[in-house]
Amino acid sequence: TRLFDESGGVGAAVLTLLYPMVYALSRQVLIDFALVAMVVLSLYMVLASDAGLDRRRSAWLGVVLGCTLLTKWTALVFVTGPALLWLAVRLRRNRPSFRAAAWPLTIVALVAAVVSLPWYLVALGPFLKGAAEAFGSYPAQEHDPTAVIDSLRWYWRAAWETLIMKPLLAVPALA
């Protein structure tokens, strides 16, 4: 399924790279920029595989989703909504039988699990320990905000610097 031609895709890529947050992330060595790339690849595969309904491409969608989950588990937050929306659109348009739709989606889930589950099984203990530390008293030791109001202030200052001021200062510079 092609939504636009190649020039539209290049334009969308350029605009995405100019988003203030994406631009800021690309200048730092953080996993979030890799997450953006893997989520974009996953969403491309969701479109290319008709939300996993295309039997030839469903396994590849599973591989990409598994690799995306290996990048960072929060990828589920960004991929799930658009994938379910596209799945609903494709199911409504094509009206496949339950079996014809369930089999490719099962392949997607199984392949994604085979790719990502070994790591999550090995890392489950350290993950739970880290989560307990993150939600315990450890943020105070790292001088991170621990109260809701302090967190909101911190995020506002960070957003002001990265997302608001730099783009506003860039507009006069470009004019």
Side-chain angles (χ1 to χ4, degrees):
T1 303
R2 287 188 153 260
L3 296 179
F4 298 102
D5 59 2
E6 291 177 10
S7 62
V10 169
V14 168
L15 285 175
T16 301
L17 290 173
L18 292 175
Y19 286 172
M21 192 62 178
V22 173
Y23 181 82
L25 286 174
S26 71
R27 302 301 185 253
Q28 301 173 13
V29 182
L30 296 172
I31 197 165
D32 297 312
F33 195 66
L35 177 65
V36 169
M38 291 304 293
V39 166
V40 168
L41 180 61
S42 294
L43 293 176
Y44 168 77
M45 285 304 298
V46 165
L47 290 173
S49 68
D50 280 338
L53 295 175
D54 181 355
R55 288 182 181 216
R56 293 178 297 142
R57 294 184 177 152
S58 61
W60 285 111
L61 174 59
V63 168
V64 170
L65 284 175
C67 291
T68 303
L69 288 171
L70 288 174
T71 304
K72 194 172 181 183
W73 69 269
T74 55
L76 286 175
V77 174
F78 303 110
V79 174
T80 303
L84 289 176
L85 178 66
W86 190 242
L87 177 64
V89 167
R90 299 311 296 167
L91 289 173
R92 189 169 183 200
R93 277 190 199 158
N94 296 346
R95 299 202 184 273
S97 67
F98 177 78
R99 184 175 176 171
W103 180 245
L105 294 175
T106 302
I107 290 173
V108 170
L110 287 174
V111 171
V114 165
V115 170
S116 63
L117 228 93
W119 165 252
Y120 283 104
L121 291 176
V122 168
L124 182 63
F127 171 77
L128 292 176
K129 182 181 178 212
E133 291 173 0
F135 294 114
S137 62
Y138 289 92
Q141 292 175 353
E142 296 179 9
H143 304 291
D144 289 341
T146 55
V148 173
I149 297 298
D150 293 337
S151 295
L152 292 174
R153 282 189 201 128
W154 186 88
Y155 281 114
W156 173 252
R157 279 189 233 121
W160 180 261
E161 172 68 25
T162 304
L163 300 176
I164 298 170
M165 285 308 294
K166 286 183 181 175
L168 286 177
L169 294 174
V171 171
L174 294 174

